[in-house]
């Protein structure tokens, strides 16, 4: 049984680091130790998924700290949105995830009820981009969604692919 914690849905809003970036984080933690704690909520990681993955690769016991604030979404956005170098397409996909987040998650996320126009300003994308990302999330093959989420495909390209029948999307 692993001592590492599962990811909270809020941590899953953002894509994991690219493999080469994670390898650099592993090297840094190996050389300098884990300098920042991993934030948890209800026994799940809300911030620090990449630090946890690095500690796991190194076989280290990760250092966790329970989130004590009143707005976990604001915390996650503050810690992650500006720290990560996400493309416009990736930011639109994260915003679309918030718009379409299951209603049961709202007990943890005041921001999940934000109007799309406010999310667009927060994520520095257009309302149209968020609407396009929602359609891609709904209509595209999961592999296409993953490519946009990880920055391997632009949102507009994915939107065009999503118009194809599912059987043709993987070949596009």
């Amino acid at each position: 049984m692993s001592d590492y914690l599962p990811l909270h849905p809020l941590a899953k809003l953002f894509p994991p680091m690219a493999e080469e970036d994670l390898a650099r984080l592993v090297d840094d933690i190996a050389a300098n130790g884990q300098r920042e704690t991993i934030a948890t909520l209800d026994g799940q990681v809300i911030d620090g998924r990449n630090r946890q993955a690095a500690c796991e690769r190194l076989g280290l016991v990760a250092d966790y700290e329970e989130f004590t604030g009143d707005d976990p979404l604001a915390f996650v956005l503050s810690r992650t949105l500006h720290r990560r170098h996400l493309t416009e397409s990736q930011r639109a996909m994260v915003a679309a995830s918030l718009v379409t987040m299951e209603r049961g998650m709202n007990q943890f996320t005041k921001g999940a009820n934000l109007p799309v126009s406010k999310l667009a300003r927060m994520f520095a994308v257009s309302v149209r981009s968020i609407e396009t990302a929602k359609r891609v999330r709904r209509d595209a093959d999961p592999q296409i969604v993953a490519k946009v989420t990880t920055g391997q495909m632009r949102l507009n390209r994915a939107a065009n692919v999503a118009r194809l029948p599912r059987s043709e999307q993987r070949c596009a």
Side-chain angles (χ1 to χ4, degrees):
M1 182 172 174
S2 174
D3 292 328
Y4 301 101
L5 299 177
L7 298 180
H8 189 280
L10 291 175
K12 294 178 184 178
L13 287 172
F14 291 90
M17 282 182 163
E19 183 57 39
E20 58 273 8
D21 294 330
L22 183 58
R24 283 193 290 276
L25 180 60
V26 168
D27 291 344
D28 182 69
I29 291 176
N32 302 302
Q34 180 188 340
R35 294 181 183 213
E36 281 188 64
T37 59
I38 298 165
T40 62
L41 179 64
D42 300 327
Q44 298 176 319
V45 172
I46 62 168
D47 178 65
R49 73 188 287 176
N50 297 304
R51 288 187 299 278
Q52 177 175 264
C55 287
E56 187 171 8
R57 284 188 184 185
L58 292 165
L60 299 175
V61 175
D63 187 15
Y64 297 95
E65 184 175 8
E66 184 72 11
F67 171 74
T68 57
D70 65 350
D71 191 349
L73 175 61
F75 172 77
V76 169
L77 292 178
S78 175
R79 296 285 302 258
T80 310
L81 185 57
H82 303 293
R83 179 171 60 188
R84 299 284 299 277
H85 302 288
L86 302 176
T87 66
E88 182 177 342
S89 295
Q90 288 175 297
R91 293 191 313 272
M93 292 296 279
V94 173
S97 295
L98 282 171
V99 171
T100 59
M101 188 173 277
E102 293 179 26
R103 291 297 165 221
M105 275 302 303
N106 289 350
Q107 63 188 350
F108 299 112
T109 58
K110 294 178 183 178
N113 293 320
L114 291 173
V116 173
S117 60
K118 185 162 185 169
L119 286 170
R121 283 190 303 278
M122 287 173 62
F123 285 87
V125 297
S126 67
V127 169
R128 184 176 178 186
S129 290
I130 295 173
E131 295 301 327
T132 300
K134 283 172 46 180
R135 282 193 307 279
V136 167
R137 287 174 46 82
R138 182 190 66 221
D139 298 339
D141 182 89
Q143 287 184 350
I144 300 299
V145 173
K147 284 182 178 182
V148 179
T149 301
T150 59
Q152 298 172 3
M153 181 182 280
R154 295 179 63 98
L155 183 60
N156 289 338
R157 170 82 175 118
N160 289 333
V161 172
R163 290 185 184 107
L164 299 172
R166 282 277 176 120
S167 60
E168 297 175 29
Q169 289 184 19
R170 288 189 183 190
C171 299

